[in-house]
Amino acid sequence: MSMSDPVADLLTRIRNGQSARMDSVHAPASRLRENLLDVLKREGYIRDYSRHNVRPGIDEIKIELKYFDGEPVIKEISRVSRPGRRVYSKIKDLPRVYNGLGISILSTPRGVMSDAEARAANVGGEVLCQVF
């Protein structure tokens, strides 16, 4: 079955897994999801992720969630740009999430990166989600 918004599905799986205090969650694999998870890992919001082959032609990503003192590291994770309403931002118009305590994840011509990396590379793009 096709999915209309795979990024929102991934974020919902992470959100639901952390509210249920799960150690890890599974999601269908794609390059965009792996790039988004790579940014979350670099920024310290998840412990790790790995790609597994379920059956020929079908891959799955196992995401290891991260907790600190029994509380989830990710307090809030939300989708910004949706299939019905894409949100693009120039680098100077990029908003700060909780005054710099959180991050925005952007899809840029140079790949998927956090807002701090986008500012350093001086490149804007589509705002995929915000994490705090």
Side-chain angles (χ1 to χ4, degrees):
M1 186 176 131
S2 66
M3 195 176 308
S4 64
D5 193 2
V7 173
D9 175 65
L10 176 70
L11 300 179
T12 300
R13 287 174 191 253
I14 292 172
R15 192 180 313 115
N16 290 344
Q18 285 196 324
S19 68
R21 302 281 194 242
M22 298 175 74
D23 291 332
S24 64
V25 292
H26 297 273
S30 73
R31 278 198 337 226
L32 177 62
R33 288 178 179 184
E34 282 191 54
N35 292 337
L36 196 135
L37 290 171
D38 189 43
V39 172
L40 288 175
K41 182 181 174 185
R42 276 196 315 261
E43 296 291 330
Y45 287 103
I46 61 172
R47 198 174 320 144
D48 200 11
Y49 70 94
S50 57
R51 188 176 186 140
H52 300 286
N53 193 347
V54 177
R55 57 182 185 267
I58 305 293
D59 286 350
E60 189 175 72
I61 301 174
K62 179 182 177 184
I63 306 155
E64 296 177 25
L65 302 175
K66 191 173 182 180
Y67 298 92
F68 182 74
D69 290 337
E71 291 297 316
V73 171
I74 299 175
K75 303 288 184 217
E76 182 181 316
I77 186 166
S78 61
R79 183 83 157 112
V80 175
S81 183
R82 304 183 317 259
R85 181 174 184 265
R86 299 290 185 189
V87 177
Y88 298 96
S89 178
K90 296 177 187 174
I91 196 62
K92 55 185 152 194
D93 298 334
L94 190 62
R96 295 195 181 271
V97 181
Y98 286 101
N99 203 20
L101 295 176
I103 63 165
S104 293
I105 299 178
L106 282 78
S107 176
T108 68
R110 295 189 188 168
V112 178
M113 57 181 66
S114 69
D115 57 348
E117 294 167 338
R119 283 187 183 94
N122 197 25
V123 63
E126 180 182 357
V127 183
L128 295 176
C129 62
Q130 294 182 338
V131 184
F132 172 68

